[in-house]
Amino acid sequence: MYPTDLTETQWQFIKKTLEFDDRKRKYNLKIIWNAINYLVKTGCQWRMLPKDFPKWQLVYYYYWKWSNLECFDLLLSKLREKVRFNRGQNTMPSLGIMDSQSVRWGNNRSLNSFDGNKKVKGIKRHIVVDKNGFLLAIMVTVANVHDSKAADLLMRTLHYFLCPIKVILADGGYRGEVIENIKNKFGYIIQVVMRSDDRKMGFKPIHKRWIVERTFSWFDNDRRLCRNYELLFETSENMVKIATIKLLLNKI
């Protein structure tokens, strides 16, 4: 037993959502999920999975299969709806918060570049979250891509999932003509929320925008996300989705 293992209630939710059949297998799919959760939490390599789990090749096969079938996206959406409903909120959010996070590289074979503003060599995660900080959409680029340049592709990803967002809060990096372009293409209204220049007041969290910063701190709880160890951007995105799924499963 590991702390990352699914409870029976959590597994039944996954099984029902993804409509897994009950045919006989050598390894229960629940064990496969436990192995993937263990990998994301501890940051170990695929080949370094403990002997308690099936062979890493089998775990990776199911991971890649579920990724291609967009199972992680479906499960993330259903979990987010359930948690919001349990909190007395509408299942579909109308407000989003957008920001980016530069992440240091940990794989010298992966694409990476240098973020001159944050002084970070690696990749950049662009995300949109709801008012609870739960992930709505993610897109990964190299670190030197400016937020305003990536915003169009991020909105395209958000639109692909048919998310009925009306207003998206953002920082000053998204100022300019990108606001009008996104409104014309996707119908999303970008509201730029700036930090106050009054230094006498000391540090003060920016209204609602601090929520996305908290989401980034949640990512740091999983060692697989502290640095970018993935070769492909798609895999980097999937690891964030799995980490969010793991978080939401603990809230149902």
Side-chain angles (χ1 to χ4, degrees):
M1 287 288 293
Y2 295 97
T4 53
D5 287 354
L6 296 170
T7 65
E8 188 58 31
T9 301
Q10 292 171 342
W11 171 242
Q12 290 302 323
F13 184 91
I14 294 175
K15 185 177 178 182
K16 181 180 179 181
T17 302
L18 301 182
E19 299 180 350
F20 289 147
D21 56 53
D22 293 321
R23 69 181 176 86
K24 189 174 181 180
R25 295 180 173 87
K26 183 177 180 180
Y27 294 103
N28 193 314
L29 293 182
K30 180 180 178 181
I31 301 176
I32 304 295
W33 270 95
N34 288 340
I36 295 174
N37 282 342
Y38 179 91
L39 181 136
V40 174
K41 182 64 178 178
T42 62
C44 73
Q45 297 174 336
W46 287 100
R47 291 170 174 79
M48 298 294 288
L49 282 172
K51 299 295 185 181
D52 306 24
F53 298 119
K55 291 183 178 180
W56 74 268
Q57 293 94 332
L58 181 64
V59 178
Y60 186 80
Y61 162 78
Y62 276 106
Y63 157 78
W64 197 247
K65 175 183 176 181
W66 292 334
S67 173
N68 290 336
L69 293 175
E70 298 186 349
C71 291
F72 299 134
D73 296 307
L74 174 61
L75 184 57
L76 177 58
S77 176
K78 294 298 183 182
L79 275 168
R80 187 176 60 244
E81 290 175 10
K82 182 173 178 57
V83 174
R84 288 178 60 90
F85 179 79
N86 291 343
R87 295 186 173 193
Q89 303 170 0
N90 293 329
T91 56
M92 302 302 289
S94 59
L95 175 70
I97 309 161
M98 175 170 58
D99 206 350
S100 66
Q101 177 191 39
S102 295
V103 184
R104 297 186 185 280
W105 66 298
N107 185 341
N108 58 5
R109 294 184 299 160
S110 64
L111 290 174
N112 61 80
S113 63
F114 189 75
D115 182 351
N117 186 32
K118 301 289 182 63
K119 303 297 187 292
V120 171
K121 181 181 181 180
I123 64 164
K124 186 178 284 188
R125 298 181 187 131
H126 307 266
I127 68 171
V128 181
V129 301
D130 67 2
K131 69 176 183 179
N132 302 303
F134 303 149
L135 186 69
L136 295 174
I138 178 171
M139 188 189 66
V140 174
T141 65
V142 290
N144 67 344
V145 176
H146 193 269
D147 293 354
S148 61
K149 301 296 182 182
D152 186 81
L153 292 176
L154 181 60
M155 294 300 101
R156 195 181 302 274
T157 303
L158 187 64
H159 192 261
Y160 173 77
F161 293 120
L162 303 177
C163 194
I165 291 289
K166 298 178 180 177
V167 178
I168 300 177
L169 304 183
D171 62 16
Y174 297 93
R175 289 177 295 180
E177 63 182 18
V178 63
I179 295 178
E180 193 65 26
N181 291 339
I182 289 175
K183 183 178 180 181
N184 294 334
K185 284 184 180 180
F186 308 105
Y188 301 137
I189 299 174
I190 306 294
Q191 289 187 2
V192 175
V193 182
M194 301 294 292
R195 185 183 299 277
S196 173
D197 292 331
D198 189 356
R199 297 179 180 270
K200 296 181 180 180
M201 297 180 63
F203 174 76
K204 186 177 180 181
I206 303 176
H207 179 62
K208 289 188 182 295
R209 251 194 53 211
W210 66 270
I211 294 173
V212 70
E213 302 296 343
R214 182 183 63 184
T215 302
F216 289 138
S217 70
W218 287 344
F219 293 166
D220 290 337
N221 290 330
D222 296 299
R223 297 189 70 180
R224 191 81 182 192
L225 304 184
C226 293
R227 285 177 176 262
N228 179 52
Y229 297 104
E230 317 307 330
L231 184 62
L232 304 176
F233 289 161
E234 180 184 356
T235 310
S236 299
E237 294 169 1
N238 284 333
M239 290 300 164
V240 173
K241 293 173 185 177
I242 294 169
T244 308
I245 287 171
K246 185 161 57 67
L247 173 74
L248 292 174
L249 281 171
N250 292 326
K251 297 182 180 293
I252 61 174

